[in-house]
Amino acid sequence: MSAELVCFDPKCRARYPITEVIYNCPRCGALLETDYPDWRYDPAALKRLWRERRMSNSALDQSGVWRYRECISFLDGYDRVVSLREGNTPLLDAPRAADYAGLDRLTFKHQGFNPSGSFKDNGMTCGVAQALRLGMTRVACVSTGNTSASMAAYASAAGLQPVVFIPHGNISYGKLAQALEYGARTLQVEANFDQILALVRALAERLGIYLLNSINPFRIEGQKTIIIEMMDQRDWRAPAWIVLPGGNLGNTSAFGKALRELNRLGLIDRMPRLAVIQAAGSAPFYRLARAPEGATLEPVTNPETLATAIRIGDPVSWPKALHEVRCSNGVVEQVTEQEIADAKAQIGLCGIGCEPASAATLAGIRKLRAAGVIRAGEDVVAVLTGNLLKDPDYIYRYHTGQLTAPDGGKIEPTFGNHPTVVPNDADRIAEILSA
Ligand code: F0G
């Protein structure tokens, strides 16, 4: 099965061997993607094969990424793949959140059920597999926390040395703790995500370290399986909308590529619309989507949001993401800190929970619903990207009325749930509970 790297720029489209260690097109500097010129599949046979693999005990088949390996066929063989049983994340009905958003029905695809608690695991198993294939010994990433947690886990599991670069003081403790526990060499840089990414891109080549940020096209291949698995779980009925948070925009790129490929292979018969939601303090892509045709992304130099996972002002994958939003007739929306916090509490009240960035989805749906962009009866799937326990500090502050927005404004605990201190006294406790 042949696979190649191709320049994403339609004016260039230069092709390179799949084993070349490049992250951008050497000819024009644009992003790269993988391409599979030989794909000839019978869609019905593929669907059957993937269903059968769910009953298999092999690690490869049990992975919710490698189960779909026909659609991510960039390796020559699979014996060195390291799987922590990533993917296999549930579709959850959330009537209460649907009500909050003004929809008849809403489903969450919860990527927080992944082994390291975020959607990054889908891509990381692929990125690490490519690193092993290339004979790399050290891998690195810049991260707002989840990529570093995931990379640390997969690299250590594969016997590679993980080196993570994180913005000092601006990632949640849960995520930092994961990087430490999984054995990553952890550098807390006194700069923001965008500045560190520029630094590390230069350093990676100098130090011979393989870069596993989402500019790495193999990460994108793995993240495609979030969509493939979602369609499989829905018996290949495409929803009207797929809603996701946007930060560095790798996931938007992956989802769009997956949808185009599934459509081309005849596995789905219509394209869902992508709705990308950004935090208002870090929303350069939202602004780009409103700019005239041909505009380029204007970075936000000091991005701010308590949803630190998406605190990114200069998202590298914007050209791909813009293409995917356009191809899917999609939209980009922005939401405030208060909207994110309240939506997050509503997702909690469904018994589901997620981290702040993930809750931007529900806040965005509510806004798009109010504006009449999404209709009440439409079939909507929102992707919750990270687990509730990634950022417990945020949760405690919200429920106790101590959460403050980056601009100093107080976040109202609209759905606050303040814990009560009680004496060690049965009568008094009974009295409090009957009030
Ligand atoms: N949600 C969560 C929980 C994330 O961690 C991220 C990105 C996103 C959404 C946005 O995804 O970048 O593909 O648009 N986190 C990266 C990280 C940047 O370093 O962990 P994106």
Side-chain angles (χ1 to χ4, degrees):
M1 183 67 66
S2 74
E4 290 174 319
L5 287 170
V6 184
C7 174
F8 187 75
D9 189 330
K11 294 190 292 299
C12 176
R13 294 303 280 176
R15 303 183 87 86
Y16 305 95
I18 200 75
T19 48
E20 199 133 323
V21 185
I22 44 174
Y23 313 100
N24 290 87
C25 175
R27 196 155 87 190
C28 76
L31 297 161
L32 296 166
E33 64 176 356
T34 56
D35 185 42
Y36 309 98
D38 292 348
W39 272 3
R40 308 267 182 283
Y41 295 129
D42 168 3
L46 265 189
K47 289 177 187 176
R48 250 194 331 271
L49 174 68
W50 292 339
R51 224 14 106 80
E52 277 163 21
R53 283 183 185 155
R54 288 205 204 174
M55 288 187 291
S56 157
N57 279 330
S58 97
L60 215 56
D61 293 344
Q62 283 192 351
S63 161
V65 171
W66 298 104
R67 180 179 307 133
Y68 304 103
R69 51 195 175 270
E70 286 73 16
C71 284
I72 50 168
S73 53
F74 59 88
L75 292 174
D76 300 323
Y78 297 99
D79 32 316
R80 294 186 67 199
V81 164
V82 173
S83 168
L84 298 172
R85 306 303 184 275
E86 52 289 325
N88 300 304
T89 62
L91 279 179
L92 303 169
D93 256 332
R96 191 163 183 158
D99 219 36
Y100 179 71
L103 291 176
D104 296 345
R105 203 184 149 198
L106 175 61
T107 311
F108 289 123
K109 170 91 174 140
H110 204 327
Q111 291 301 112
F113 281 64
N114 261 298
S116 84
S118 86
F119 73 97
K120 306 289 181 180
D121 294 344
N122 285 66
M124 208 51 78
T125 183
C126 290
V128 163
Q130 180 70 4
L132 289 171
R133 169 212 217 159
L134 296 171
M136 298 289 169
T137 54
R138 275 207 290 187
V139 290
C141 70
V142 184
S143 179
T144 55
N146 280 323
T147 300
S148 46
S150 180
M151 192 195 77
Y154 280 83
S156 287
L160 299 170
Q161 193 197 357
V163 185
V164 313
F165 296 80
I166 50 179
H168 185 39
N170 269 308
I171 78 166
S172 75
Y173 267 110
K175 298 172 189 178
L176 173 58
Q178 285 182 291
L180 301 178
E181 189 83 349
Y182 294 137
R185 183 90 189 263
T186 303
L187 305 178
Q188 297 177 280
V189 187
E190 287 169 330
N192 70 27
F193 177 91
D194 306 303
Q195 295 161 328
I196 309 172
L197 185 56
L199 178 86
V200 172
R201 281 173 82 162
L203 265 178
E205 199 166 347
R206 192 157 120 201
L207 302 177
I209 302 179
Y210 191 55
L211 204 54
L212 282 176
N213 271 94
S214 57
I215 45 167
N216 184 309
F218 303 98
R219 285 262 323 271
I220 301 297
E221 287 309 282
Q223 286 172 212
K224 281 181 352 194
T225 62
I226 300 168
I227 295 294
I228 305 173
E229 184 181 73
M230 175 197 298
M231 296 300 176
D232 188 2
Q233 289 166 319
R234 292 174 51 96
D235 297 319
W236 305 98
R237 285 189 308 272
W241 291 93
I242 296 174
V243 187
L244 75 162
N248 215 17
L249 301 173
N251 222 18
T252 307
S253 311
F255 284 16
K257 186 170 192 268
L259 292 172
R260 285 187 291 111
E261 290 175 352
L262 291 180
N263 204 28
R264 178 159 56 88
L265 289 171
L267 287 155
I268 54 172
D269 55 11
R270 69 160 174 170
M271 285 287 278
R273 300 175 71 181
L274 290 175
V276 182
I277 318 296
Q278 294 210 290
S282 306
F285 190 54
Y286 167 80
R287 268 167 239 158
L288 175 66
R290 263 147 200 78
E293 187 78 37
T296 55
L297 183 124
E298 195 71 51
V300 172
T301 39
N302 282 312
E304 287 294 359
T305 171
L306 297 176
T308 49
I310 50 173
R311 189 171 181 258
I312 293 173
D314 192 7
V316 282
S317 291
W318 73 260
K320 283 185 177 179
L322 188 63
H323 176 75
E324 302 305 353
V325 166
R326 299 240 158 100
C327 278
S328 77
N329 190 25
V331 297
V332 185
E333 187 50 275
Q334 64 172 1
V335 288
T336 64
E337 296 296 307
Q338 183 72 51
E339 288 169 327
I340 293 174
D342 289 340
K344 189 173 131 50
Q346 286 291 321
I347 296 169
L349 285 169
C350 297
I352 292 175
C354 63
E355 69 162 283
S358 310
T361 54
L362 181 61
I365 294 167
R366 190 166 190 253
K367 206 165 164 186
L368 292 167
R369 175 69 201 96
V373 178
I374 297 181
R375 292 194 308 277
E378 282 189 301
D379 186 357
V380 182
V381 180
V383 177
L384 299 181
T385 43
N387 191 287
L388 170 134
L389 291 173
K390 289 279 189 175
D391 197 352
D393 186 55
Y394 178 105
I395 302 174
Y396 184 77
R397 285 176 191 271
Y398 175 81
H399 287 291
T400 55
Q402 300 174 67
L403 195 63
T404 326
D407 66 4
K410 182 170 183 270
I411 306 273
E412 289 303 326
T414 321
F415 308 106
N417 182 18
H418 208 297
T420 315
V421 180
V422 294
N424 182 10
D425 177 335
D427 291 342
R428 184 73 192 107
I429 291 173
E431 197 180 307
I432 289 167
L433 287 180
S434 50

